[in-house]
Amino acid sequence: MVPLSQSYRHCKLLTQRTAKNFGPAFWLLPRQQRYGMYALYAFMRRTDDLADGDGTIAERQQQLERWRQQLSDAEQGNFSDPILPALLDVVLRHGIPLQHFHEVITGVAMDLTGVSIHDFADLERYCYHVASAVGLACIHLWGFRQPEAREQAIATGIAFQLTNILRDLREDAEQGRLYLPTVELQQFDCPPTTWNCDNPKFLELMRFQVDRAEQYYQQGWLLHANLYPHGQAIFQAMYQTYHTILKTIRLRNYDVFTERVRVRKRMKLRYLLQAVPTRFGW
C-alpha cells in the first residue's frame, strides 16, 4: 500500500499537471480541504482517462468496471492504486457518500456506448451522473449549513454540464455524440444537419437551451449562501467561470461553430481575486 502522504502527493502532482482550468482555484481553500480537492480531482481525472484511453469500447468498459471494483475494495482497506488511500481518507474525514464516486463512473461509462437522450429527463439524469455527483462530493468537503445544499449542488452541476454541452455542440456532433433531447429537436424542427447560425430554428432552439440553463444557474447560486466562507470562495470562482461561458454563447448570438467559447486567463484570474475576500470572510 502507498503511504497516505505519498498518495496525497501523487494526487497533488496529477492535479498540477492536468487541472489547468480549476487547479488554481483550489488555493482558495485551507490546506486540508485543498489536498482533499487534489484527491477528488485525481479520482475524476483517472476515471475520464480510463474512458478516453486506448482499446476497444468493451475494453474501456472493463477498465471502468475494474476501477469501480478497486473503489469498493478501498472501502474495505485494500488499495490497488496510489490515488485511493488519499481519496478514502477524504471520504472518511468529511463524510462523503462513496456512492457519488460510483455515480461518476456510471456517468462516464454512459459516453462509451453513446448516451440516448430522448427527453430532458434523460439529459438531466446524465448531467447528474457526470457533474452533479461531483458537486455533491465537493460540498461535503467544503462544508454546508443546510440540507438544501444538496439540491442546490445538483442544480449547479446540471447548469455546468448544460453549458459544456452547448459549448461543445460542434465537436460532439463531429464525434457522433448528441446530447440535446430528441423530443426538443423535433419540437423545434431542427435536426443536427440543419445546425447553423443562419437558421432561425437553430437560434430558437439555442435560445431555449440557454434560457433553461440560466434557470439552473439561478437555482444553483443559492448554494453560495449555504456554504462556509472558504467553500463560498471556490464555488464563486467556478460558478462565475462557467456562467461566463453561457453568457458568452448568448452574446455571440449562439455561434458555437466559428471558434470554441473560452474564458480568457485574465478573466479567470479576476474571478479568483474577487473570491479571495470571501475566502477569509472579509
Side-chain angles (χ1 to χ4, degrees):
M1 170 181 160
V2 173
L4 185 58
S5 60
Q6 188 175 332
S7 177
Y8 271 112
R9 176 171 173 76
H10 176 83
C11 293
K12 177 183 178 180
L13 292 174
L14 176 61
T15 301
Q16 291 175 334
R17 188 171 67 250
T18 59
K20 303 302 182 185
N21 287 328
F22 290 117
F26 295 174
W27 282 95
L28 293 168
L29 295 167
R31 187 178 189 278
Q32 186 186 90
Q33 280 96 343
R34 183 166 69 250
Y35 273 77
M37 285 300 294
Y38 293 151
L40 263 59
Y41 175 85
F43 174 85
M44 307 305 173
R45 179 74 271 160
R46 175 64 56 81
T47 305
D48 281 341
D49 288 346
L50 289 173
D52 295 336
D54 298 329
T56 65
I57 290 177
E59 289 170 340
R60 283 178 280 162
Q61 286 176 317
Q62 290 175 355
Q63 289 176 335
L64 284 173
E65 288 309 308
R66 192 177 304 117
W67 183 229
R68 188 192 298 278
Q69 185 59 52
Q70 289 176 289
L71 178 61
S72 297
D73 291 343
E75 192 174 17
Q76 306 304 318
N78 301 315
F79 302 101
S80 55
D81 187 279
I83 289 172
L84 295 175
L87 181 72
L88 194 70
D89 185 61
V90 174
V91 164
L92 295 177
R93 281 176 183 269
H94 300 280
I96 305 175
L98 207 65
Q99 74 184 61
H100 296 322
F101 301 95
H102 285 285
E103 288 166 344
V104 170
I105 295 174
T106 297
V108 171
M110 288 179 182
D111 276 324
L112 290 178
T113 55
V115 185
S116 178
I117 306 293
H118 174 66
D119 54 21
F120 186 68
D122 290 336
L123 179 55
E124 198 172 34
R125 190 177 307 112
Y126 169 72
C127 291
Y128 172 86
H129 279 283
V130 298
S132 296
V134 178
L136 288 168
C138 287
I139 65 169
H140 281 83
L141 173 63
W142 302 340
F144 56 90
R145 294 184 170 94
Q146 300 294 331
E148 291 81 6
R150 295 183 178 88
E151 290 303 316
Q152 294 159 0
I154 290 172
T156 301
I158 292 172
F160 287 4
Q161 191 59 29
L162 291 177
T163 301
N164 284 338
I165 288 170
L166 296 175
R167 178 194 61 190
D168 298 338
L169 211 59
R170 177 177 59 82
E171 293 90 338
D172 286 334
E174 290 172 353
Q175 297 175 20
R177 293 177 175 176
L178 180 60
Y179 294 101
L180 298 186
T182 303
V183 166
E184 294 173 6
L185 298 182
Q186 294 171 346
Q187 174 188 341
F188 288 91
D189 188 22
C190 192
T193 53
T194 68
W195 289 354
N196 65 75
C197 293
D198 294 325
N199 181 357
K201 293 179 180 179
F202 173 76
L203 299 180
E204 186 179 359
L205 170 67
M206 287 293 286
R207 188 176 301 111
F208 174 81
Q209 301 295 330
V210 170
D211 286 346
R212 178 167 58 199
E214 183 61 44
Q215 292 174 9
Y216 277 95
Y217 274 101
Q218 299 309 312
Q219 296 174 43
W221 181 246
L222 298 175
L223 176 61
H224 184 267
N226 221 339
L227 298 170
Y228 295 106
H230 53 261
Q232 289 179 338
I234 188 170
F235 173 76
Q236 178 179 317
M238 292 180 170
Y239 181 98
Q240 288 180 310
T241 299
Y242 270 99
H243 201 194
T244 295
I245 293 172
L246 186 76
K247 290 187 287 188
T248 302
I249 290 173
R250 194 191 295 275
L251 287 172
R252 290 186 181 181
N253 198 30
Y254 313 108
D255 181 3
V256 292
F257 304 112
T258 303
E259 62 177 334
R260 197 168 193 263
V261 178
R262 301 179 187 276
V263 178
R264 296 183 182 277
K265 289 183 179 180
R266 65 173 178 269
M267 186 63 72
K268 292 179 185 177
L269 178 60
R270 176 183 172 187
Y271 293 152
L272 287 174
L273 294 176
Q274 287 175 342
V276 168
T278 304
R279 154 70 172 86
F280 294 101
W282 299 346

